[in-house]
Amino acid sequence: QVQLVESGGGLVQAGGSLQLSCAASGMVFGIVVTNWYRQAPGKQRELVASITSRNDTTYADSVKGRFTISRGDAKNTVFLQMNSLAPEDTAVYYCNANYLQPGIANVFRSWGQGTQVTVSS
């Protein structure tokens, strides 16, 4: 299994920056993609950014040019650098990993507990 722990959320003024971290443990060698999702009150959870095991990245249109997803040197940590934050970025941010286990055809999914990001106007 893979366990994920997010950190780095908080309160920031509009225009500010935050960096979220997602630390993975367990069967990290099986992770094929790590995603950041967010969920604002009353809204559906949405995919914000993704990074594959080969470091290919994708972003939601709403965050392109402002957010950057990257992998740490230790490979088991994924960061989400968020710049030019706006009140509409306020949400709980979740880290998600899709991973494989040896000898099993299924793709497994693991979620972190979430970290709150609040952007004040």
Side-chain angles (χ1 to χ4, degrees):
Q1 291 186 349
V2 170
Q3 295 80 39
L4 303 172
V5 178
E6 302 105 330
S7 61
L11 173 65
V12 65
Q13 288 189 332
S17 298
L18 281 175
Q19 186 182 68
L20 305 183
S21 299
C22 173
S25 60
M27 300 181 68
V28 297
F29 57 87
I31 295 175
V32 294
V33 62
T34 303
N35 305 298
W36 283 100
Y37 285 80
R38 67 185 180 186
Q39 188 167 19
K43 294 188 176 181
Q44 288 188 332
R45 190 172 296 190
E46 65 170 339
L47 179 61
V48 174
S50 301
I51 186 166
T52 70
S53 57
R54 292 186 291 185
N55 292 328
D56 296 322
T57 59
T58 56
Y59 298 92
D61 287 343
S62 59
V63 306
K64 278 181 183 175
R66 300 188 299 124
F67 291 11
T68 302
I69 189 170
S70 62
R71 191 182 306 281
D73 291 339
K75 306 299 182 186
N76 66 332
T77 301
V78 170
F79 302 101
L80 185 67
Q81 177 66 41
M82 305 185 294
N83 299 327
S84 302
L85 284 162
E88 51 266 35
D89 295 314
T90 295
V92 178
Y93 284 70
Y94 297 91
C95 181
N96 154 258
N98 296 340
Y99 63 97
L100 303 173
Q101 295 193 48
I104 302 176
N106 293 344
V107 177
F108 295 84
R109 306 191 76 184
S110 182
W111 292 88
Q113 80 286 355
T115 185
Q116 177 70 46
V117 171
T118 303
V119 184
S120 63
S121 57

